[in-house]
Amino acid sequence: MYNIVFYKNNPCHLFTSHLQRSILSSAILTTESTPLMCQDTLLLGHVLSFVASPFETATPADAVQWHEAVLLRAGRVVQTGSRAELMTQAPQAQVVDHGQNVICAGFVDAHVHYPQTAMIASWGKRLIDWLNSYTFPEELRFEDPDYANQIANRYLDLTIAEGTTTVASYCTIHPISVDAIFTAAQTRGQRVVAGKTCMDRNAPDGLRDTAQSAYDDSAALLAKWHGVDRLSYAITPRFSPTSTPEQLDAMGALWAQHPDCLMQTHLSEQRDEVTWVQELFPQARDYLDTYEQFGLLGEGALFGHAIYLEPREKDRLREVKASLIHCPTSNTFIGSGIFDMAGLMAAGQRIGLATDTGGGSSFSMLRTMAAAYELGQLNGTPLHAAQLLWLATQGSAQALRLGDKIGNIAVGHEADLVVLDLASTPAIAQRHAEANDIWEAIFPTLMMGDDRAISEVRIAGRKAV
Ligand code: GUN
Ligand code: ZN
């Protein structure tokens, strides 16, 4: 249970779940004589707010405004400013001084497979063999609701400890796997996007649905979860090789009925996969067309990987404002290739950042930023620390069409925050000590940091770590 102070008709209830609300209201009845209030929290430190995309300003650092303090109330950011100004504005606030630490938005991981938590770091295969050898056998285990609940809770505990406050996750074909992650997120007050993974071919027995059952199950889950508390549903055909045209058509029909939902899938991750798609869909103009012809292309479409894109595909993706999700640790771990971050960003694509757990080799968005930097270097285009942090927060939030709610410390935003200790290990501390400016101070943590650098996490204003 979160340690919050509250009063009747409490605005703190903004982000409490139905379950928490019923616990809280029974507590209210038993504490009638206690003076109850929704206490403001004032965090002091180096507060990082984006005022623009660091890919669009004259220098990346121009996109950032630094403040000394941020004031939180009822799960939201109400003000940023100087320490003196905010202390005057909220003299009753509980003050938490984070000293020289950086306070930024919680990380937003725009593409994960929470069911792959227990088989992360599986050796030696490339995409299709990796799916058949490791992924599908593990996903079969989610038939068991107890196992699904156990892994969903384990996954969220692991990722919150890494500073991740929002994820967009694939589930398995089992509806219970969707219930498991949404229930686990709900008890933590977390904003999570997820959907039932649909597959009706090229998957083993026990891991295939049909076009009709995928439609029916997805529609029922969407009705049950979409818009409840901080949860939203994403229509989730795994990728064209594991869906028949009939299933893709059914998913397109469902999306047309619910355009406010996101749609997530994979696109052009490995060359063998692209060739296989050409064989499976001989009439299609390209890989993207296998989605486009069934209504699965539009704003709100999230395409994981998107490494081997044809010019037509790039044009259409940009025109419709679909999102490309860069998964750098996965792209090296499964041997997929190098995503052209600089070229695609310069061309105006919408891009988010993700771990792709467990094809990715880490749960950490710090490790993911390091991998994005290293891949950028291989392409001759190193990313600035401000660009990396933007991708891991506001960039991913915009990809999920949540950029006005999360992914930044801005007035009115939901208070999902992370506090970064810039000297969390001796190795990082000694490099940090040599820094000449704030960006040089931050960069070693982005490159070498892990969960030890995550000094505090707040979800809707409440301390989670
Ligand atoms: N393509 C289809 N399914 C998957 C998956 O689970 N992981 C990755 N990395 N690529 C995929
Ligand atoms: Zn994936």
Side-chain angles (χ1 to χ4, degrees):
M1 199 56 221
Y2 296 105
N3 182 21
I4 58 169
V5 189
F6 51 89
Y7 63 98
K8 267 186 178 167
N9 304 321
N10 180 4
C12 293
H13 282 197
L14 190 60
F15 295 127
T16 49
S17 68
H18 296 321
L19 173 67
Q20 287 170 326
R21 272 201 288 277
S22 62
I23 296 166
L24 288 174
S25 43
S26 57
I28 287 170
L29 293 176
T30 60
T31 56
E32 207 62 51
S33 59
T34 317
L36 296 166
M37 58 179 295
C38 173
Q39 193 178 19
D40 291 353
T41 306
L42 184 60
L43 305 181
L44 309 179
H46 295 291
V47 179
L48 185 160
S49 295
F50 285 105
V51 290
S53 161
F55 290 92
E56 290 170 2
T57 44
T59 72
D62 293 344
V64 172
Q65 219 168 52
W66 292 99
H67 304 283
E68 291 174 348
V70 54
L71 182 65
L72 314 181
R73 181 179 303 146
R76 290 188 191 273
V77 172
V78 287
Q79 199 56 262
T80 51
S82 75
R83 163 193 288 246
E85 185 189 338
L86 295 193
M87 278 180 156
T88 310
Q89 187 178 325
Q92 311 295 343
Q94 181 199 12
V95 178
V96 185
D97 190 348
H98 287 289
Q100 295 305 307
N101 289 352
V102 165
I103 304 171
C104 68
F107 300 138
V108 179
D109 190 341
H111 178 125
V112 313
H113 300 256
Y114 94 80
Q116 296 172 16
T117 296
M119 47 68 68
I120 192 169
S122 293
W123 186 84
K125 306 278 184 188
R126 292 170 64 87
L127 179 60
I128 306 306
D129 284 346
W130 174 85
L131 285 171
N132 288 318
S133 307
Y134 300 123
T135 311
F136 291 159
E138 178 61 20
E139 291 192 7
L140 273 166
R141 299 174 73 185
F142 284 72
E143 220 175 18
D144 173 4
D146 289 343
Y147 189 67
N149 286 324
Q150 182 193 336
I151 298 297
N153 282 290
R154 184 191 301 175
Y155 172 77
L156 290 182
D157 286 345
L158 286 167
T159 49
I160 290 170
E162 302 282 0
T164 299
T165 48
T166 290
V167 299
S169 185
Y170 289 62
C171 299
T172 65
I173 70 150
H174 313 96
I176 181 67
S177 70
V178 180
D179 293 332
I181 191 72
F182 278 145
T183 304
Q186 201 176 29
T187 58
R188 290 163 177 79
Q190 249 183 294
R191 185 170 279 289
V192 160
V193 178
K196 173 196 132 73
T197 296
C198 300
M199 298 195 278
D200 66 345
R201 65 169 165 176
N202 294 317
D205 289 349
L207 217 52
R208 288 189 308 274
D209 48 22
T210 66
Q212 187 64 51
S213 72
Y215 178 91
D216 292 343
D217 287 348
S218 301
L221 288 162
L222 193 160
K224 180 174 177 182
W225 291 110
H226 187 59
V228 173
D229 293 336
R230 303 182 75 199
L231 311 173
S232 44
Y233 194 81
I235 294 163
T236 310
R238 180 175 218 119
F239 68 156
S240 293
T242 49
S243 288
T244 58
E246 292 71 32
Q247 183 169 80
L248 293 171
D249 194 40
M251 295 294 100
L254 184 61
W255 200 23
Q257 288 153 12
H258 301 278
D260 59 319
C261 284
L262 296 167
M263 189 289 301
Q264 56 183 352
T265 190
H266 297 85
L267 177 67
S268 298
E269 181 175 359
Q270 294 204 343
R271 289 191 194 283
D272 293 355
E273 173 209 10
V274 177
T275 304
W276 192 24
V277 169
Q278 280 162 355
E279 289 161 13
L280 290 168
F281 295 86
Q283 317 293 347
R285 287 170 289 182
D286 44 44
Y287 196 157
L288 185 68
D289 197 32
T290 65
Y291 299 123
E292 187 173 0
Q293 66 183 278
F294 297 111
L296 294 169
L297 175 65
E299 198 180 357
L302 311 173
F303 292 103
H305 305 280
I307 298 172
Y308 301 103
L309 297 177
E310 300 294 334
R312 189 200 81 86
E313 296 177 298
K314 291 183 196 171
D315 289 346
R316 289 294 293 140
L317 287 161
R318 194 192 54 250
E319 273 164 27
V320 305
K321 301 194 178 77
S323 297
L324 313 182
I325 310 299
H326 180 31
C327 307
T329 70
S330 173
N331 293 347
T332 52
F333 185 77
I334 334 186
S336 302
I338 302 180
F339 178 84
D340 179 17
M341 171 67 77
L344 291 165
M345 199 55 107
Q349 300 283 359
R350 188 177 287 187
I351 301 176
L353 188 66
T355 58
D356 189 28
T357 298
S361 52
S362 173
F363 297 98
S364 162
M365 289 299 280
L366 289 176
R367 173 76 199 99
T368 302
M369 286 182 249
Y373 175 79
E374 289 161 0
L375 285 173
Q377 278 287 56
L378 287 179
N379 257 358
T381 50
L383 292 165
H384 188 277
Q387 294 172 324
L388 293 166
L389 278 168
W390 184 86
L391 284 166
T393 55
Q394 182 58 198
S396 282
Q398 286 182 10
L400 303 183
R401 291 197 302 199
L402 293 170
D404 58 339
K405 294 186 172 62
I406 57 168
N408 200 8
I409 300 189
V411 174
H413 270 226
E414 298 168 6
D416 291 347
L417 310 176
V418 63
V419 180
L420 297 175
D421 175 356
L422 300 187
S424 60
T425 68
I428 296 173
Q430 59 88 37
R431 176 63 187 89
H432 172 260
E434 300 296 317
N436 293 310
D437 64 31
I438 185 79
W439 294 112
E440 230 185 281
I442 289 174
F443 195 60
T445 289
L446 302 190
M447 293 303 106
M448 300 163 72
D450 54 27
D451 56 341
R452 289 168 291 181
I454 308 301
S455 137
E456 183 171 298
V457 179
R458 284 181 183 260
I459 294 177
R462 291 180 304 226
K463 224 161 127 167
V465 172

